[in-house]
Amino acid sequence: AQLAVSITGFAGPGSEDDEEGLVHFALADTTGALTHREEHFGPIGRDGVRIAALRAALDMLHEKLNLSA
């Protein structure tokens, strides 16, 4: 693989100390370059956070591939 994406976060629901919809992304390439992205999607539900996270990850890949072209 030339690129790798990692996603972690909290889709909710949770306690009052948890930020529902907080998601962190990392994108790495074969040179070792690492890109981090943090999103605060808010309380849009577990499925909503999953879809929003997928879109954000695909956006990161798209941006990286366009810069590499």
Side-chain angles (χ1 to χ4, degrees), residues 6 17 20-21 30 33-34 46-47 54 64-66 68-69:
S6 176
D17 292 335
E20 188 173 343
T30 56
L34 183 66
R46 293 180 68 78
D47 288 341
L54 173 61
K64 181 68 173 179
L65 291 170
N66 280 339
S68 299

Side-chain angles (χ1 to χ4, degrees), residues 6-68:
S6 176
I7 305 171
T8 189
F10 188 73
S15 67
E16 104 184 19
D17 292 335
D18 298 320
E19 182 184 341
E20 188 173 343
L22 172 62
V23 182
H24 290 269
F25 304 85
L27 175 71
D29 65 21
T30 56
T31 70
L34 183 66
T35 304
H36 172 260
R37 181 169 169 173
E38 179 179 308
E39 292 288 343
H40 301 264
F41 297 119
I44 59 174
R46 293 180 68 78
D47 288 341
V49 171
R50 288 176 178 151
I51 296 298
L54 173 61
R55 288 183 177 140
L58 290 172
D59 183 54
M60 289 179 73
L61 286 167
H62 184 258
E63 288 175 11
K64 181 68 173 179
L65 291 170
N66 280 339
L67 292 176
S68 299

